Amino acid sequence: MTTFLRSVAAEFSKIFTTRLWWILAIVLFCYIGLLAGGLAALFAGIQTGVISPDAVNTGGGVTTFGSLPPLIYSFASSVGYVFPVLLGALATTGEFRHQTLTPTFLATPRRGVVLGAKTVTLILIGAGFGVVALAASVGLGGGLLSAFGVDALLLDSQTWLLVVRTLLAMGLWAAIGVGLGVLVPNQVASIVIVLAFTQFIEPLLRLAASFLEVTAQIGNFLPGAASDALVGASVFTIANPAGAAPLDWWQGGLVLLGYAVVGTVIGYAASWKKDVT
Amino acid sequence: MPTGAVIEFRNVSKRFGGVTAVNDLSFTVEPGRVTGFLGPNGAGKTTSLRILLGLVGASSGTATFGGVRYRDLPQPLETVGAALEAASFHPGRTARDHLGVYVIAAGLPRFRVMEALTQVGLAAHAGQRVGGYSLGMRQRLGLAYALLGDPGVLVLDEPINGLDPEGIRWIRGFLRDMAAEGRTVLVSSHLLSEVQQSVDDVVIIARGELVHRGPLSSLDTDAAPQTIVDSPDRDALAAALTAAGIGFSIGRTGLLAATPDPALLGHLAFTAGVELSVLHRQKAGLEDSFLALVGGGHSL
């Protein structure tokens, strides 16, 4: 047990002695702040009539978006999740790329302990990224909602449930990043997969799946959909033509956990356990 | 003072796909001595050391420290210090932070970082990012990692590569001191000349197999000694040798006579009235014995 705790402490030290974590955290904050703040201002402006509905091209559709605050706050995970995945994948593939597996395994020969410690560490730092993302979406977004006179629901228990689930989701995404990193140890390939999948392939798949009832059920198990189900709100769920019921929050959490566990276990056997040459 | 354990390779083999990198390797390395682990590039030295350290799995056989496999050592860094290649660093981390990660992982006191950096002469560069280090500084940092736990056994792969002359002199003294303190020191190199001033014993492998082991002096063989002899009147000398029945060949610096005894040739020349300009015995050097053992060693 002490070996495991030492390993966790060492993994924390690895993350915080390089620059990647705070660069990603700053970009995450700016990105989510811009998106949540901008859309909060826009939607709240439309809803309160500050921005004239005539000025908005809605294609003749709705100009109400249900409850605004959860939608705005959920940008923290529905858009920000790519950051903990990247951190997890980079922290893991960096060990292969910089050959730091050698000193790591010399100090801690039990490789399963090291990978477990890395996963725990990244879950906690991923949740920390969740704090940063929520500071942007709830702080800036909520602030702007209030400024426009829309109730930011900051004292609502549902809001705080969303906050806690966002932290959980961001932690699990970082663990998925670790799993991807051991599954695809090539750092460049890993980054390409993260960006292509999260920014392009999955959104398309979710859209395509949503047109039919049966595929929509399957689409619910895509990691991004599962994450949105866990958090309980997302900009993606308001554009859901077939209207298939999303997973329950705990189901979504289990699906995310499943992705992390499956990736990590297969990757452990495929690369982590192999000869370090 | 940490005491060294005996390193023991017992019938270690390693196959990568269909290629045999190490074949049935068995030898022991004793504490209190510096042992050179020698062989040409590609002979299987690094693979053998990585098997010893549990980084590469052996196809068969065991490699142990005092009978214990590396991964079963309760406190590995305090038992064995290893420096492998010179590039196991994240370039964005400072030397102090790099070592800091591993003292945490091994549960060692934090002050060991600066002690180890001081020991290898890097204290002044502790706060510098490793990406800006020269090859020689990286070698020293690798060595500092090996020293973190003040281990009784040192396993160093090509530690002299990339060091400047001052660094080479320093590491030779360092290796001798470590062995004098009773530690087990195993140092690999593809050049005998690089380590022959510091090693007591040699283990030589070629093509993954053990070809020689013993004290350094065991390489000092005189299988076919010759004497170089020359004269301003080379024809007269040749005639005298022929008359005495001593075979010879014409070398670059004179005649290579097939006898180990310069006195015999001196007497011969004196009685034949031939003036000599060169007369000395040619000994096969350690390097020649080494090259003969590893089979020509064109890659040296």
Side-chain angles (χ1 to χ4, degrees), chain A residues 64-267:
Chain A
T64 56
F65 308 96
S67 178
L68 262 185
L71 183 65
I72 298 296
Y73 301 160
S74 69
F75 276 119
S77 63
S78 69
V79 175
Y81 74 98
V82 65
F83 290 84
V85 184
L86 271 182
L87 185 73
L90 288 171
T92 311
T93 55
E95 298 263 26
F96 291 92
R97 183 177 165 206
H98 301 299
Q99 300 176 7
T100 42
L101 285 179
T102 294
T104 298
F105 291 160
L106 287 178
T108 315
R110 302 270 166 204
R111 300 189 186 182
V113 167
V114 177
L115 191 56
K118 196 178 270 302
T119 301
V120 167
T121 302
L122 265 297
I123 285 175
L124 293 173
I125 296 177
F129 270 34
V131 172
V132 171
L134 286 165
S137 71
V138 180
L140 289 176
L144 279 162
L145 288 178
S146 302
F148 277 91
V150 174
D151 184 0
L153 299 177
L154 287 182
L155 299 175
D156 191 298
S157 64
Q158 289 299 314
T159 301
W160 288 98
L161 212 53
L162 182 140
V163 164
V164 171
R165 290 176 187 171
T166 298
L167 298 181
L168 184 59
M170 294 291 266
L172 288 173
W173 276 113
I176 289 175
V178 173
L180 176 68
V182 283
L183 215 48
V184 185
N186 181 305
Q187 190 159 64
V188 174
S190 229
I191 295 171
V192 168
I193 287 171
V194 169
L195 295 181
F197 188 81
T198 61
Q199 306 305 302
F200 184 66
I201 296 171
E202 195 188 19
L204 277 185
L205 283 177
R206 285 177 75 179
L207 187 66
S210 66
F211 289 113
L212 290 173
E213 179 81 28
V214 59
T215 52
Q217 299 287 355
I218 299 167
N220 278 337
F221 288 89
L222 287 167
S227 172
D228 290 342
L230 166 59
V231 172
S234 159
V235 70
F236 290 103
T237 49
I238 61 168
N240 190 348
L247 299 175
D248 281 334
W249 72 269
W250 58 270
Q251 290 172 321
L254 285 179
V255 169
L256 272 195
L257 182 67
Y259 278 107
V261 169
V262 168
T264 306
V265 168
I266 296 177

Side-chain angles (χ1 to χ4, degrees), chain B residues 19-255:
Chain B
V19 182
T20 301
V22 178
N23 189 18
D24 199 28
L25 195 58
S26 296
F27 63 89
T28 56
V29 179
E30 300 295 329
R33 302 172 74 81
V34 180
T35 302
F37 187 40
L38 307 170
N41 289 326
K45 298 187 300 292
T46 299
T47 301
S48 304
L49 295 183
R50 285 185 171 272
I51 289 171
L52 176 63
L53 297 165
L55 295 168
V56 165
S59 303
S60 60
T62 54
T64 55
F65 299 88
V68 183
R69 286 183 307 174
Y70 188 87
R71 81 165 101 114
D72 295 327
L73 293 171
Q75 282 143 336
L77 288 197
E78 286 157 87
T79 313
V80 181
L84 294 171
E85 70 281 287
S88 292
F89 320 106
H90 189 296
R93 221 170 258 142
T94 65
R96 188 193 291 119
D97 287 341
H98 167 72
L99 296 181
V101 167
Y102 304 107
V103 294
I104 295 171
L108 296 168
R110 183 85 199 174
F111 62 79
R112 282 301 302 159
V113 169
M114 281 315 291
E115 282 186 356
L117 285 171
T118 305
Q119 211 173 341
V120 301
L122 277 181
H125 304 280
Q128 199 176 322
R129 288 209 178 88
V130 180
Y133 270 28
S134 68
L135 180 57
M137 291 164 79
R138 286 165 196 235
Q139 282 284 23
R140 285 170 187 256
L141 181 55
L143 206 53
Y145 174 82
L147 296 174
L148 281 178
D150 194 20
V153 180
L154 283 175
V155 177
L156 311 175
D157 193 13
E158 304 268 358
I160 294 172
N161 249 357
L163 290 182
D164 53 19
E166 190 272 326
I168 291 175
R169 210 176 46 150
W170 170 79
I171 200 165
R172 282 179 178 152
F174 170 80
L175 295 175
R176 297 241 48 90
D177 292 346
M178 288 286 129
E181 289 171 5
R183 296 177 217 249
T184 310
V185 182
L186 181 62
V187 184
S188 84
S189 178
H190 61 285
L191 291 173
L192 174 67
S193 57
E194 217 175 48
V195 294
Q196 78 182 60
Q197 292 182 36
S198 24
V199 300
D200 303 297
D201 294 329
V202 290
V203 172
I204 299 174
I205 65 170
R207 294 166 300 278
E209 295 185 9
L210 184 72
V211 292
H212 182 82
R213 58 156 307 199
L216 181 66
S217 57
S218 66
L219 283 181
D220 200 356
T221 54
D222 240 344
Q226 293 180 307
T227 303
I228 297 177
V229 59
D230 205 2
S231 161
D233 185 356
R234 202 179 265 185
D235 291 340
L237 178 62
L241 287 176
T242 309
I246 296 170
F248 65 90
S249 58
I250 313 245
R252 189 164 45 82
T253 55
L255 305 180

